Amino acid sequence: MSGVPASAAGGSSSARRTGPRGTAGPAHGPAERTTPGGAVERDAAERDRTERGTAERGATEGSPGGRGGKIAAAAVNQASLWNVANLLTMFRLLLVPVFVVLMLGNGGYDPAWRSFAWASFAVAMFTDLFDGHLARTYNLVTDFGKIADPIADKAIMGAALICLSALGDLPWWVTAVILGRELGITVLRFVVIRYGVIPASRGGKLKTLTQGIAVGMYVLALTGPLATLRFWVMAAAVVLTVATGLDYVKQAIVLRRRGIAERRAALKDASKESEA
């Protein structure tokens, strides 16, 4: 007798017999369980994988590189182009040919036609005061606005000055001075843009306002004291045009010299670092 109970010995043998025919062998792993609980676990894992795949596909399509992201980006770009500030600029460009037709209508000397021309000119100048302000205040600045806004400003002013000189109401030298200054400063800005941006000054804003008032008074068929007054307003506009133009040239020279000095200093520092 070994002293071990038979029940204990039998229990050990049955624990080892886990094979199909009661032979001794290792127990099956968790992946081979066929109990109802195992089936539930496999179903839950399959659903989890399916949900994760769906979420990943949705995230991919909604990302900036996905189809939904591209559509959203296109919508934002479209909205940024057709904003209020750009629409005002487009409207001002469309007013240029309308102004010319009204200004030259019926020979160009009809007070009624000149009044309508003044109204279109006043609307163009009025919208010029707001489109830039709206773009800067509400973050509506676009590449189109940067290019079209100054073109619209110079187009309406240039059309008015040329029409007035062609009709004999304004000397050609006044038109040449104003338009030459505007075009020259525009070219100068592009020349020195590599060194920095020339900021708009208060004198420039006052010049624009004075020019608008003076040209508007000449567009109207004024007589008597008002006709004399418009002469002095235009004289003030010409003086401001020349003075602010010279100031812009001075700022451009200073900006260019500063930019060249900074570039030379940067190159000198870079050469010292390379030698060290």
Side-chain angles (χ1 to χ4, degrees):
M1 293 179 65
S2 62
V4 179
S7 60
S12 299
S13 301
S14 61
R16 288 193 301 269
R17 289 195 300 269
T18 56
R21 296 181 179 271
T23 58
H28 294 299
E32 297 180 358
R33 286 183 299 180
T34 58
T35 60
V40 171
E41 291 178 1
R42 286 195 299 273
D43 293 342
E46 184 66 25
R47 286 197 301 270
D48 184 59
R49 286 195 297 269
T50 304
E51 291 174 358
R52 283 201 303 269
T54 304
E56 290 174 357
R57 287 194 300 271
T60 302
E61 293 180 358
S63 63
R67 182 176 59 185
K70 292 180 180 179
I71 295 174
V76 170
N77 292 335
Q78 187 74 4
S80 65
L81 176 62
W82 298 99
N83 59 58
V84 177
N86 286 346
L87 289 175
L88 289 175
T89 301
M90 296 176 193
F91 177 69
R92 197 159 70 254
L93 285 169
L94 293 176
L95 279 178
V96 175
V98 175
F99 168 80
V100 173
V101 170
L102 294 174
M103 187 70 183
L104 302 179
N106 200 17
Y109 298 101
D110 191 324
W113 284 84
R114 296 283 284 260
S115 297
F116 288 123
W118 175 86
S120 62
F121 179 81
V123 170
M125 298 303 294
F126 186 74
T127 55
D128 181 35
L129 299 176
F130 286 97
D131 57 356
H133 175 73
L134 289 173
R136 291 186 297 271
T137 302
Y138 297 100
N139 195 24
L140 302 175
V141 178
T142 62
D143 293 336
F144 172 81
K146 293 177 183 178
I147 297 173
D149 183 68
I151 292 176
D153 298 341
K154 292 171 178 57
I156 189 67
M157 183 61 68
L161 290 170
I162 292 173
C163 287
L164 289 172
S165 295
L167 293 173
D169 294 340
L170 189 68
W172 276 106
W173 70 266
V174 174
T175 298
V177 168
I178 295 177
L179 293 184
R181 183 267 186 196
E182 299 298 332
L183 295 176
I185 295 302
T186 300
V187 173
L188 187 62
R189 285 177 180 272
F190 282 105
V191 170
V192 301
I193 197 171
R194 69 180 68 179
Y195 307 109
V197 178
I198 303 176
S201 62
R202 293 184 178 179
K205 296 179 181 178
L206 180 60
K207 177 268 306 178
T208 302
L209 178 62
T210 308
Q211 282 182 359
I213 295 174
V215 172
M217 294 180 71
Y218 268 86
V219 170
L220 288 173
L222 300 178
T223 57
L226 290 178
T228 304
L229 177 62
R230 71 182 182 182
F231 169 81
W232 292 108
V233 176
M234 181 59 75
V238 172
V239 171
L240 287 172
T241 298
V242 175
T244 55
L246 294 175
D247 181 62
Y248 273 113
V249 172
K250 178 183 176 181
Q251 292 186 53
I253 294 174
V254 172
L255 187 63
R256 182 177 179 275
R257 287 178 178 174
R258 186 186 305 163
I260 292 175
E262 291 176 353
R263 183 173 298 179
R264 287 177 179 174
L267 291 174
K268 186 180 295 184
D269 293 340
S271 62
K272 289 181 179 179
E273 291 178 0
S274 62
E275 290 175 358

